[in-house]
Amino acid sequence: MRRFVAEKAKRAVSSYLLSSLRSHPSPSLSSSPLKFYSTAAAMASKLNPPVTVDSLNPKVLKCEYAVRGEIVTHAQRLQEELQTQPGSHPFDEILYCNIGNPQSLAQQPITFFREVLALTDHPALLDKSESAALFSSDSIERAWQILDVIPGRATGAYSHSQGVKGLRDAIAAGIAARDGFPSNPDDIFLTDGASPAVHMMMQLLIRTENDGIFCPIPQYPLYSASIALHGGTLVPYYLNEGTGWGLEISELTKQLEEARSKGITVRALVVINPGNPTGQVLAEENQQQIVEFCKKEGLVLLADEVYQENIYVDNKSFNSFKKIARSMGYGEDDLAVVSFQSVSKGYYGECGKRGGYMEITGFSADVREQIYKVASVNLCSNISGQILASLVMNPPKVGDESYESYMAEKDGILQSLARRAKALEDAFNSMEGVTCNKAEGAMYLFPRIHLPQKAIDAAKAVNKAPDAFYAQRLLEATGIVVVPGSGFGQVPGTWHFRCTILPQEDKIPGIISRFKAFHESFMSEFRD
Amino acid sequence: MAKPLDYESLNENVKKTAYAVRGELYLRASELQKEGKKIIFTNVGNPHALGQKPLTFPRQVVALCQAPFLLDDPNVGLLFPADAIARAKHYLQLTSGGLGAYSDSRGIPGVRKEVAEFIERRDGYPTDPELIFLTDGASKGVMQMLNAIIRNENDGILVPVPQYPLYSAAITLYGGSLVPYYLEEEANWSLDFNNIRQSIASARSKGITVRAMVIINPGNPTGQCLSEANIRELLRFCFLENLVLLADEVYQQNIYQDERPFISARKILFDMGPPLSKEVQLVSFHTVSKGYWGECGQRGGYFEMTNLSPKTVDEIYKVASISLSPNVPGQIFMGLMVNPPKPGDISYFKFEQESKAIMESLRKRAHIMTDGFNSCRNVVCNFTEGAMYSFPQIRLPARAIEVAKSAGKAPDVFYCLKLLEATGISTVPGSGFGQKEGVFHLRTTILPAEEDMPAIMESFKKFNDAFMEEYEDYRGYSRM
């Protein structure tokens, strides 16, 4: 109370001083005599500024996102030191294995996609005969097709808030071809990457902290961050590391009961398939059980399917949850499914474009209206990203001029990813105290490190989680950046880290040897 | 069994949110368009949708960045000028893997440096690229800042009335309170500090902590360019009342009169010197969507923070990192906008020509529209000094208001729907932006092509004058 009165008094004094200044107007305050003013200034500077960390939205303060967290900031510092003081570290370069950002590690974009995007970004090229010499004929044709569905061919105009209708038609057709079940273009919302679509759904679903969202543990921390930002409660379900990160309905049931007993209304179930960070591809049977569970318990199924094109094993394939539901005979009236897809992953890896969509099914018209309304506040997603999403869902087909080169690029990337996944998996499994499940899909390995007690104690002594301690030591010894498992969630008392499979293939042997050398020396230091 | 997500169980804040720019009128216009009616969409500041052509140079640069293999082709010079080629190489070098890699979550450092240099050239004061964050359009930046500031419904944000409804929508979505302050239509939509003081006092008496003040300069929908004196008083006000100033300056390139050129809030703040320049917290927003660029579809924008503590900046950075990064092509558009071709560059002449033509035409259209509205019965319109809109006041006859109410519609919505059905002109009713009780407006853009303007204004006049004739009482009976 005293502080409040004191602040009011300070302001009143300042106000008085300023108004007396006003009665002696001068062209600029800085040139007027400020004897009185400096007193006010001294007082005013003690006022609490309107925006400080203490007065920020507590949900903002609470949320975390380890993928670009502390270890990355540290790595960036070291990178600067490498430039300003060469030789200051036992490595020449920082290797960012923390983030699924393929093109930052020299993965090449798909030529056909980029040809079409260049043409739609600068349609004047299509009027020039010289373009035929620089662009494939099917990319020119596709660019025309795309421009024809954009009103006025204006790629710089805001589109419909769900995205250009003609592009949604193409995406719906691509979904139908993939799944064998129809898709409605009006169910599709094109967004700046999949992440904004996830945020939109959280915003709709979460009313108070008594609304819970089921998330896999380990999970991609967009989910935990988004739930925290929107003031909800994350309800965990643990994936079973011992069975290749299997998802068990018994675990879901148990966690659901527990959440409900605490008064939490569980609104939705997030499934990431293929998994991030865990890399498992769900078996069809498993998916059916999940669909049944959601239907029975009245949960919206939020299916993060951004890694649908990253599958490295022959005995598994991608099935969208919508396809599974429809093939079980479940329609719009039976359950609500939202599928998220992105242009950032797959073999195209176009992270910087921010392209993606969500396909929403099973919602009533008035709910859909609200979803549209929220989308409209931001007007629309970037058009170039929308175009790319339509290309990803409708790539070149047999007979197209670009088909063979496209397939060569695609297969080259996917086969290389599979090889790198295997090489790193084997390497991790060969390390003392490290076990690593296979990466059946996605872009990551999530090995478990059985840390000796001495290491755990050393970590505690410096106030760090043991896996963060390990990751920091790794960084300082080798320049390799991984994300500690605590950033994703894990069974308490277990430690992991997430490492991408994205460094170029020729760098992998070097990474493996440096990692092994570090690990041996770490274990020598801390072995019980 | 009840659906897991039905209307009743939606987040209340979502249900309360309104955004008229793509609301009822727009949806009705879209329906009519599907039925084959010719619609002139003047509901949103979307220049390219109404025939404005993109500037050539930026499109050339970004096309080359999309397809870097073109740079290796010996024939590239046939399609692209040398300076576009050089600039594409420059931007590709600044990225960490081309357009397809996530950048730094705050945006590409090299582009942020270009933005900082632009701000310094414009204002004469240096700024720190670390305090400039690129975003997917200015709207995302506004939403991020409001989300960071608003803790609960007791946090109030001062917003001008009329306002661009992104602000009201975002405040509602984030559960805060909108504290309105009315712009003075009779004084050219200028700031009325007595009114602002009253608003803030009234809010505080209800237990609201007013945290921030939004200013849109040039104004949307109102089009006024604030005077330097107004901005100075505004900054002093924020200092005294302990408010962070959110300065929406996205229309800074759209100025159609010479008496009040654009001066950024930051420049004036620094002109005023300490203590204000060291204490007043300011966030300034800009975009590639407006100006003479009009590249709405690219979603390129930035915000610049002044006098926010490093810890606060860190928290905002943290939230930005959850979305990984803004789209890289949009960032390059921003770089090009703040660092356009210079005299002597190969593309300079064409770039200047294209830009000038657009600006001159916008200025003309601002006049055509204002004059056109002022020639209509019961319509009064302030001049569009800046931005992209005209916001005429429609003095609706009492009977029209009655008929509207019995049809369950706000009077200006009723008028705008009739206008749409009669002429195909799709506007946004003033109630979408806020207005004084009993005073009605509509917002239209000045963006339809210059050659179409006279016919559009004629069509409007015809409809309006007939509407007024129909609803003005003394004519009533004999017409029936």
Side-chain angles (χ1 to χ4, degrees), chain A residues 20-38:
Chain A
S20 65
L21 273 170
R22 224 175 272 138
S23 60
H24 305 283
S26 52
S28 110
L29 274 179
S30 57
S31 66
S32 57
L34 288 175
K35 262 195 315 187
F36 294 122
Y37 206 83
S38 57

Side-chain angles (χ1 to χ4, degrees), chain B residues 19 22 24 55 59-60 138 141 185 208 215 260 264 282 345 360 376 417 479:
Chain B
Y19 183 70
R22 279 205 162 165
E24 185 182 352
L55 300 169
R59 293 304 190 97
Q60 290 172 327
E185 188 164 10
I208 296 195
I215 189 77
R260 271 178 303 288
S264 77
L282 168 66
D345 291 352
E360 281 165 9
C376 296
L417 282 168
R479 285 281 145 188

Side-chain angles (χ1 to χ4, degrees), chain B residues 60-75:
Chain B
Q60 290 172 327
V61 174
V62 177
L64 285 167
C65 291
Q66 287 280 17
F69 45 81
L70 291 174
L71 294 167
D72 301 324
D73 192 302
N75 290 319

Side-chain angles (χ1 to χ4, degrees), chain B residues 57-207:
Chain B
F57 184 74
R59 293 304 190 97
Q60 290 172 327
V61 174
V62 177
L64 285 167
C65 291
Q66 287 280 17
F69 45 81
L70 291 174
L71 294 167
D72 301 324
D73 192 302
N75 290 319
V76 67
L78 295 173
L79 284 174
F80 297 92
D83 55 351
I85 293 170
R87 197 70 91 89
K89 289 183 178 161
H90 159 78
Y91 284 115
L92 285 172
Q93 228 193 3
L94 293 179
T95 65
S96 38
L99 298 191
Y102 293 127
S103 72
D104 183 308
S105 299
R106 299 161 291 187
I108 297 165
V111 174
R112 285 152 60 217
K113 185 155 163 282
E114 287 182 324
V115 173
E117 286 163 3
F118 154 75
I119 292 171
E120 181 165 354
R121 279 193 308 272
R122 181 193 67 189
D123 294 346
Y125 295 103
T127 183
D128 182 359
E130 299 293 281
L131 298 175
I132 295 166
F133 285 22
L134 306 182
T135 51
D136 285 309
S139 299
K140 285 254 168 86
V142 167
M143 295 188 82
Q144 270 176 47
M145 285 312 305
L146 287 172
N147 187 40
I149 293 169
I150 296 171
R151 296 165 295 188
N152 52 53
E153 72 270 16
N154 294 323
D155 276 338
I157 313 285
L158 270 166
V159 175
V161 178
Q163 49 102 39
Y164 173 52
L166 164 67
Y167 294 96
S168 44
I171 292 165
T172 307
L173 270 173
Y174 298 131
S177 285
L178 190 151
V179 179
Y181 68 90
Y182 289 83
L183 301 174
E184 272 212 79
E185 188 164 10
E186 295 76 35
N188 205 30
W189 297 117
S190 58
L191 299 174
D192 173 359
F193 283 91
N194 284 322
N195 180 269
I196 301 177
R197 273 186 279 272
Q198 268 170 24
S199 293
I200 209 177
S202 162
R204 284 176 177 157
S205 70
K206 293 184 210 148

Side-chain angles (χ1 to χ4, degrees), chain A residues 99-143:
Chain A
I99 182 174
N101 195 10
Q103 293 190 29
S104 75
L105 292 165
Q107 181 174 306
Q108 294 303 299
I110 299 295
T111 306
F112 177 78
F113 294 164
R114 291 302 190 90
E115 284 183 298
V116 175
L117 288 171
L119 291 166
T120 54
D121 269 355
H122 187 38
L125 289 170
L126 291 166
D127 298 323
K128 301 212 167 103
S129 55
E130 295 93 329
S131 295
L134 274 99
F135 293 90
S136 61
S137 63
D138 54 346
S139 69
I140 291 174
E141 201 187 312
R142 184 74 78 99

Side-chain angles (χ1 to χ4, degrees), chain A residues 11 48 51 55 57 60 63 68 101 114 121 156 158-159 203 267 298 351-354 373 378 380 383, chain B residues 4 9 11 14 17 22 46 59 66 100 102-103 105 147-148 211 240 242 281 297 299 318 323-325 328:
Chain A
R11 279 201 213 111
N48 275 327
V51 177
S55 63
N57 179 355
V60 164
C63 75
R68 278 200 157 169
N101 195 10
R114 291 302 190 90
D121 269 355
Y158 293 126
S159 69
Q203 187 160 59
R267 306 293 309 273
C351 302
K353 299 298 181 61
R354 312 319 275 116
K373 183 177 70 176
N378 195 50
C380 72
I383 307 300
Chain B
S9 66
N11 177 356
V14 167
T17 298
R22 279 205 162 165
N46 199 8
R59 293 304 190 97
Q66 287 280 17
Y102 293 127
S103 72
S105 299
N147 187 40
R211 306 284 309 281
L240 290 174
N242 213 28
Q281 296 185 319
R299 311 323 268 116
K318 180 182 75 176
S323 297
L324 288 149
S325 91
V328 176

